[in-house]
Short mmCIF file of all heavy atoms in Angstrom, two decimals:
data_model
loop_
_atom_site.label_atom_id
_atom_site.label_comp_id
_atom_site.label_asym_id
_atom_site.label_seq_id
_atom_site.Cartn_x
_atom_site.Cartn_y
_atom_site.Cartn_z
N PRO H 1228 216.74 -107.92 108.97
CA PRO H 1228 216.66 -106.61 108.37
C PRO H 1228 217.93 -106.29 107.58
O PRO H 1228 217.89 -105.59 106.55
CB PRO H 1228 216.56 -105.65 109.59
CG PRO H 1228 216.68 -106.55 110.84
CD PRO H 1228 216.45 -107.94 110.39
N ASP H 1229 219.12 -106.74 108.00
CA ASP H 1229 220.43 -106.39 107.34
C ASP H 1229 220.79 -107.47 106.26
O ASP H 1229 221.85 -107.38 105.66
CB ASP H 1229 221.49 -106.30 108.38
CG ASP H 1229 221.59 -107.42 109.37
OD1 ASP H 1229 220.69 -108.34 109.29
OD2 ASP H 1229 222.47 -107.49 110.20
N ALA H 1230 219.91 -108.45 106.02
CA ALA H 1230 220.24 -109.47 104.98
C ALA H 1230 220.20 -108.69 103.60
O ALA H 1230 219.31 -107.91 103.40
CB ALA H 1230 219.28 -110.58 105.01
N ILE H 1231 221.17 -109.04 102.79
CA ILE H 1231 221.21 -108.37 101.46
C ILE H 1231 220.53 -109.25 100.45
O ILE H 1231 220.90 -110.44 100.24
CB ILE H 1231 222.68 -108.19 101.00
CG1 ILE H 1231 223.54 -107.47 102.05
CG2 ILE H 1231 222.68 -107.39 99.67
CD1 ILE H 1231 223.25 -106.02 102.28
N ILE H 1232 219.53 -108.74 99.84
CA ILE H 1232 218.74 -109.48 98.84
C ILE H 1232 219.44 -109.16 97.49
O ILE H 1232 219.20 -108.12 96.89
CB ILE H 1232 217.25 -108.98 98.77
CG1 ILE H 1232 216.63 -108.89 100.14
CG2 ILE H 1232 216.48 -109.87 97.85
CD1 ILE H 1232 216.56 -110.13 100.93
N SER H 1233 220.31 -110.15 97.10
CA SER H 1233 220.95 -109.90 95.78
C SER H 1233 220.95 -111.23 95.07
O SER H 1233 221.08 -112.28 95.70
CB SER H 1233 222.37 -109.27 95.91
OG SER H 1233 223.27 -110.26 96.39
N ALA H 1234 220.83 -111.21 93.76
CA ALA H 1234 220.63 -112.43 92.96
C ALA H 1234 221.53 -113.57 93.38
O ALA H 1234 222.79 -113.42 93.49
CB ALA H 1234 220.84 -112.13 91.51
N LEU H 1235 221.00 -114.72 93.74
CA LEU H 1235 221.71 -115.92 94.13
C LEU H 1235 222.53 -116.43 92.97
O LEU H 1235 222.05 -116.33 91.80
CB LEU H 1235 220.78 -116.99 94.62
CG LEU H 1235 219.97 -116.54 95.88
CD1 LEU H 1235 218.77 -117.49 96.11
CD2 LEU H 1235 220.87 -116.52 97.09
N PRO H 1236 223.73 -116.89 93.21
CA PRO H 1236 224.65 -117.25 92.15
C PRO H 1236 224.06 -118.18 91.08
O PRO H 1236 224.13 -117.94 89.85
CB PRO H 1236 225.86 -117.91 92.84
CG PRO H 1236 225.53 -117.92 94.30
CD PRO H 1236 224.31 -117.11 94.53
N GLY H 1237 223.36 -119.22 91.56
CA GLY H 1237 222.86 -120.20 90.58
C GLY H 1237 221.64 -119.70 89.76
O GLY H 1237 221.12 -120.37 88.91
N CYS H 1238 221.18 -118.50 90.09
CA CYS H 1238 219.94 -117.97 89.49
C CYS H 1238 220.24 -116.99 88.32
O CYS H 1238 219.26 -116.47 87.74
CB CYS H 1238 219.05 -117.36 90.51
SG CYS H 1238 218.45 -118.51 91.75
N VAL H 1239 221.47 -116.76 88.04
CA VAL H 1239 221.77 -115.83 87.00
C VAL H 1239 222.54 -116.64 85.90
O VAL H 1239 223.55 -117.30 86.16
CB VAL H 1239 222.69 -114.66 87.46
CG1 VAL H 1239 222.92 -113.66 86.35
CG2 VAL H 1239 222.06 -113.99 88.67
N ALA H 1240 221.99 -116.66 84.67
CA ALA H 1240 222.64 -117.44 83.60
C ALA H 1240 224.03 -116.91 83.34
O ALA H 1240 224.27 -115.70 83.46
CB ALA H 1240 221.77 -117.37 82.35
N PRO H 1241 224.96 -117.82 82.98
CA PRO H 1241 226.28 -117.37 82.63
C PRO H 1241 226.31 -116.23 81.63
O PRO H 1241 225.54 -116.25 80.64
CB PRO H 1241 226.96 -118.61 82.07
CG PRO H 1241 226.13 -119.80 82.51
CD PRO H 1241 224.75 -119.24 82.73
N GLY H 1242 227.01 -115.15 81.93
CA GLY H 1242 227.10 -114.02 80.99
C GLY H 1242 225.91 -113.06 81.13
O GLY H 1242 225.99 -111.93 80.57
N ALA H 1243 224.89 -113.43 81.85
CA ALA H 1243 223.76 -112.50 82.04
C ALA H 1243 223.93 -111.64 83.26
O ALA H 1243 224.81 -111.89 84.10
CB ALA H 1243 222.44 -113.30 82.18
N LEU H 1244 223.16 -110.54 83.36
CA LEU H 1244 223.22 -109.70 84.51
C LEU H 1244 222.05 -109.98 85.45
O LEU H 1244 221.01 -110.35 84.99
CB LEU H 1244 223.15 -108.20 84.07
CG LEU H 1244 224.34 -107.65 83.28
CD1 LEU H 1244 224.07 -106.28 82.82
CD2 LEU H 1244 225.59 -107.70 84.20
N ALA H 1245 222.25 -109.70 86.79
CA ALA H 1245 221.15 -109.82 87.68
C ALA H 1245 220.05 -108.78 87.29
O ALA H 1245 220.39 -107.70 86.85
CB ALA H 1245 221.65 -109.59 89.09
N LYS H 1246 218.80 -109.14 87.53
CA LYS H 1246 217.72 -108.19 87.14
C LYS H 1246 217.56 -107.04 88.03
O LYS H 1246 216.98 -105.98 87.67
CB LYS H 1246 216.40 -108.98 87.09
CG LYS H 1246 216.32 -110.02 85.99
CD LYS H 1246 214.86 -110.54 85.96
CE LYS H 1246 214.76 -111.55 84.81
NZ LYS H 1246 213.37 -112.08 84.74
N TYR H 1247 217.97 -107.17 89.31
CA TYR H 1247 217.71 -106.14 90.32
C TYR H 1247 219.01 -105.80 91.11
O TYR H 1247 219.82 -106.66 91.33
CB TYR H 1247 216.66 -106.56 91.31
CG TYR H 1247 215.42 -107.15 90.69
CD1 TYR H 1247 215.30 -108.53 90.59
CD2 TYR H 1247 214.40 -106.31 90.20
CE1 TYR H 1247 214.16 -109.11 89.98
CE2 TYR H 1247 213.31 -106.84 89.60
CZ TYR H 1247 213.19 -108.26 89.50
OH TYR H 1247 212.02 -108.75 88.92
N PRO H 1248 219.16 -104.51 91.49
CA PRO H 1248 220.32 -104.21 92.35
C PRO H 1248 220.15 -104.75 93.76
O PRO H 1248 218.98 -104.95 94.17
CB PRO H 1248 220.29 -102.67 92.33
CG PRO H 1248 218.92 -102.25 92.02
CD PRO H 1248 218.31 -103.32 91.19
N PRO H 1249 221.21 -104.97 94.49
CA PRO H 1249 221.07 -105.49 95.88
C PRO H 1249 220.33 -104.46 96.72
O PRO H 1249 220.43 -103.22 96.55
CB PRO H 1249 222.52 -105.60 96.35
CG PRO H 1249 223.37 -105.59 95.10
CD PRO H 1249 222.60 -104.77 94.07
N VAL H 1250 219.61 -104.96 97.73
CA VAL H 1250 218.86 -104.07 98.67
C VAL H 1250 218.80 -104.84 100.01
O VAL H 1250 218.81 -106.08 100.02
CB VAL H 1250 217.43 -103.80 98.12
CG1 VAL H 1250 216.57 -105.08 97.94
CG2 VAL H 1250 216.70 -102.76 98.89
N THR H 1251 218.78 -104.14 101.10
CA THR H 1251 218.61 -104.85 102.38
C THR H 1251 217.10 -105.24 102.52
O THR H 1251 216.24 -104.58 101.96
CB THR H 1251 218.98 -103.97 103.59
OG1 THR H 1251 218.11 -102.88 103.67
CG2 THR H 1251 220.43 -103.55 103.53
N MET H 1252 216.89 -106.28 103.30
CA MET H 1252 215.52 -106.74 103.53
C MET H 1252 214.71 -105.59 104.13
O MET H 1252 213.55 -105.38 103.74
CB MET H 1252 215.53 -107.96 104.45
CG MET H 1252 214.16 -108.62 104.69
SD MET H 1252 213.55 -109.47 103.21
CE MET H 1252 211.91 -108.79 103.14
N ALA H 1253 215.33 -104.88 105.11
CA ALA H 1253 214.55 -103.80 105.78
C ALA H 1253 214.15 -102.73 104.83
O ALA H 1253 213.00 -102.26 104.88
CB ALA H 1253 215.38 -103.20 106.90
N ALA H 1254 215.06 -102.31 103.96
CA ALA H 1254 214.74 -101.23 103.02
C ALA H 1254 213.72 -101.69 102.05
O ALA H 1254 212.75 -100.97 101.73
CB ALA H 1254 216.01 -100.81 102.26
N TYR H 1255 213.76 -102.95 101.57
CA TYR H 1255 212.80 -103.45 100.66
C TYR H 1255 211.40 -103.48 101.29
O TYR H 1255 210.41 -103.06 100.74
CB TYR H 1255 213.20 -104.85 100.19
CG TYR H 1255 212.27 -105.43 99.15
CD1 TYR H 1255 212.21 -104.89 97.87
CD2 TYR H 1255 211.41 -106.44 99.50
CE1 TYR H 1255 211.31 -105.42 96.94
CE2 TYR H 1255 210.52 -106.98 98.53
CZ TYR H 1255 210.50 -106.43 97.31
OH TYR H 1255 209.59 -106.90 96.38
N LEU H 1256 211.34 -104.04 102.48
CA LEU H 1256 210.06 -104.20 103.17
C LEU H 1256 209.44 -102.85 103.51
O LEU H 1256 208.23 -102.61 103.36
CB LEU H 1256 210.21 -105.02 104.47
CG LEU H 1256 208.95 -105.49 105.16
CD1 LEU H 1256 208.15 -106.38 104.22
CD2 LEU H 1256 209.30 -106.29 106.37
N ARG H 1257 210.28 -101.88 103.95
CA ARG H 1257 209.81 -100.54 104.24
C ARG H 1257 209.13 -99.95 103.04
O ARG H 1257 208.00 -99.37 103.10
CB ARG H 1257 210.94 -99.66 104.74
CG ARG H 1257 210.43 -98.33 105.28
CD ARG H 1257 211.61 -97.32 105.53
NE ARG H 1257 212.62 -97.84 106.37
CZ ARG H 1257 213.88 -98.14 105.92
NH1 ARG H 1257 214.17 -97.88 104.66
NH2 ARG H 1257 214.78 -98.58 106.74
N GLN H 1258 209.78 -100.08 101.96
CA GLN H 1258 209.27 -99.49 100.66
C GLN H 1258 207.88 -100.15 100.32
O GLN H 1258 206.99 -99.48 99.94
CB GLN H 1258 210.33 -99.79 99.65
CG GLN H 1258 210.04 -99.40 98.23
CD GLN H 1258 211.04 -100.26 97.31
OE1 GLN H 1258 212.20 -100.49 97.64
NE2 GLN H 1258 210.49 -100.75 96.21
N ARG H 1259 207.77 -101.46 100.47
CA ARG H 1259 206.57 -102.15 100.14
C ARG H 1259 205.44 -101.81 101.09
O ARG H 1259 204.31 -101.58 100.70
CB ARG H 1259 206.80 -103.67 100.07
CG ARG H 1259 207.83 -104.08 98.97
CD ARG H 1259 207.38 -103.64 97.59
NE ARG H 1259 206.07 -104.08 97.33
CZ ARG H 1259 205.76 -105.29 96.78
NH1 ARG H 1259 206.68 -106.08 96.44
NH2 ARG H 1259 204.49 -105.61 96.56
N LEU H 1260 205.74 -101.82 102.38
CA LEU H 1260 204.70 -101.52 103.38
C LEU H 1260 204.23 -100.10 103.24
O LEU H 1260 203.04 -99.79 103.30
CB LEU H 1260 205.21 -101.77 104.80
CG LEU H 1260 205.32 -103.26 105.23
CD1 LEU H 1260 206.03 -103.36 106.55
CD2 LEU H 1260 203.94 -103.91 105.30
N ASN H 1261 205.19 -99.21 103.03
CA ASN H 1261 204.79 -97.81 102.89
C ASN H 1261 203.90 -97.59 101.67
O ASN H 1261 202.97 -96.78 101.70
CB ASN H 1261 206.00 -96.85 102.90
CG ASN H 1261 206.57 -96.75 104.27
OD1 ASN H 1261 205.99 -97.11 105.23
ND2 ASN H 1261 207.78 -96.22 104.31
N ALA H 1262 204.18 -98.30 100.62
CA ALA H 1262 203.35 -98.16 99.39
C ALA H 1262 201.92 -98.66 99.69
O ALA H 1262 200.99 -98.09 99.24
CB ALA H 1262 203.99 -98.95 98.26
N THR H 1263 201.78 -99.68 100.51
CA THR H 1263 200.45 -100.22 100.78
C THR H 1263 199.70 -99.43 101.87
O THR H 1263 198.52 -99.20 101.78
CB THR H 1263 200.53 -101.68 101.24
OG1 THR H 1263 201.28 -102.42 100.26
CG2 THR H 1263 199.15 -102.29 101.39
N TYR H 1264 200.40 -99.10 102.96
CA TYR H 1264 199.70 -98.61 104.14
C TYR H 1264 200.04 -97.18 104.46
O TYR H 1264 199.61 -96.60 105.46
CB TYR H 1264 200.05 -99.45 105.38
CG TYR H 1264 199.77 -100.93 105.19
CD1 TYR H 1264 200.77 -101.84 105.24
CD2 TYR H 1264 198.46 -101.34 105.02
CE1 TYR H 1264 200.49 -103.20 105.08
CE2 TYR H 1264 198.15 -102.66 104.81
CZ TYR H 1264 199.21 -103.60 104.87
OH TYR H 1264 198.91 -104.95 104.69
#
Side-chain angles (χ1 to χ4, degrees):
D1229 50 356
I1231 310 285
I1232 315 298
S1233 74
L1235 296 166
C1238 295
V1239 184
L1244 291 175
K1246 291 189 178 181
Y1247 311 98
V1250 63
T1251 63
M1252 185 73 228
Y1255 182 71
L1256 192 60
R1257 187 191 308 111
Q1258 174 200 322
R1259 298 300 308 272
L1260 285 171
N1261 286 347
T1263 305
Y1264 304 116

